[in-house]
Amino acid sequence: MDNKAMYQLTYGLFVLSAKDGDKDNGCIINTAGQVTTTPNRITIAVNKQNCTHDMIRKTGEFNLSILDESAPFAIFERFGFQCGRDTDKLAGLEVLRADNGLFYLKGHASAFLSGKVVETMDLGTHTLFLADVTDGALLSGDNPITYAYYQKNTKPKPEKTEKKGYRCKICGYIYEGEPLPEDFICPICKHGAIDFEKII
Ligand code: FE
């Protein structure tokens, strides 16, 4: 099997948000899609290592901010490359609240959706949540960002380095060593070995 075939699947990028009591959290996902229109339902797959995952498991509610092409790399760093357990990911960021009380992005989002979980499936590393769409609104209405757009335009170009090893294609983290363990997980963005490339 040629893994490059998998890279031809298209994905959007989203800030997934949840709330447990007074605690807000959010993370970046690329796995959201509508599965039925009647009823209006979407699925999201969320890595179990994300704090947001545990909150959604507990509360059954989430918002999805559909990022647009204006989203700067800083948004991905803020929500994707740090852990909500020891940082406040919302610090200094202006957000809005939906009727469910959860935040969504005020800027850099083309729309937001609110989801209420109706079923979950354990996928090993991830949990798949099937949810009713209970609310939503158009925000900027601009082109939603795709994963391909992010790779080409949003992510900073990798700096030249003397280091030898493998670079995470998502966040730029460098693993110094040979070979890269097959079960390696990026300590910054939690992506697996498949998202690393050899530094040449
Ligand atoms: Fe990474």
Side-chain angles (χ1 to χ4, degrees):
M1 147 100 209
D2 181 357
N3 269 326
K4 289 201 179 76
M6 297 302 293
Y7 299 157
Q8 299 306 310
L9 286 168
T10 54
Y11 298 97
L13 286 164
F14 314 90
V15 171
L16 174 70
S17 50
K19 191 170 194 282
D20 183 13
D22 291 337
K23 171 85 175 159
D24 285 299
N25 205 9
C27 65
I28 301 282
I29 62 165
N30 67 343
T31 48
Q34 187 179 26
V35 286
T36 55
T37 49
T38 314
N40 184 10
R41 282 181 170 168
I42 57 174
T43 54
I44 54 169
V46 189
N47 193 309
K48 290 178 183 173
Q49 295 197 32
N50 285 318
C51 191
T52 308
H53 168 274
D54 298 351
M55 289 170 131
I56 295 171
R57 272 225 85 125
K58 186 174 166 192
T59 65
E61 293 204 277
F62 63 85
N63 282 346
L64 206 57
S65 300
I66 303 173
L67 291 169
D68 68 26
E69 290 178 351
S70 77
F73 187 63
I75 291 276
F76 297 92
E77 288 181 300
R78 174 188 285 269
F79 287 105
F81 306 161
Q82 55 178 355
C83 179
R85 286 186 185 88
D86 36 61
T87 49
D88 175 12
K89 293 190 180 184
L90 293 192
L93 184 73
E94 228 184 313
V95 294
L96 298 170
R97 300 263 165 198
D99 287 348
N100 61 7
L102 279 57
F103 81 87
Y104 61 92
L105 293 193
K106 189 178 177 191
H108 308 301
S110 64
F112 90 91
L113 300 173
S114 292
K116 201 167 180 53
V117 174
V118 292
E119 236 169 280
T120 63
M121 187 190 280
D122 190 335
L123 304 181
T125 56
H126 290 61
T127 297
L128 185 76
F129 296 99
L130 173 69
D132 281 328
V133 177
T134 56
D135 193 11
L138 202 60
L139 301 172
S140 75
D142 294 339
N143 284 345
I145 193 170
T146 62
Y147 185 64
Y149 184 97
Y150 167 85
Q151 285 290 351
K152 200 170 164 207
N153 302 293
T154 311
K155 195 180 71 168
K157 298 282 167 281
E159 289 170 22
K160 284 226 169 357
T161 177
E162 296 299 304
K163 292 178 180 172
K164 290 187 170 61
Y166 295 82
R167 180 189 285 113
C168 175
K169 288 192 281 184
I170 312 296
C171 73
Y173 173 82
I174 291 173
Y175 174 86
E176 291 183 85
E178 183 71 53
L180 179 71
E182 268 178 39
D183 59 353
F184 189 75
I185 305 279
C186 176
I188 309 289
C189 72
K190 314 291 185 238
H191 281 247
I194 190 144
D195 288 315
F196 279 71
E197 60 189 356
K198 196 167 171 59
I199 299 169
I200 299 163

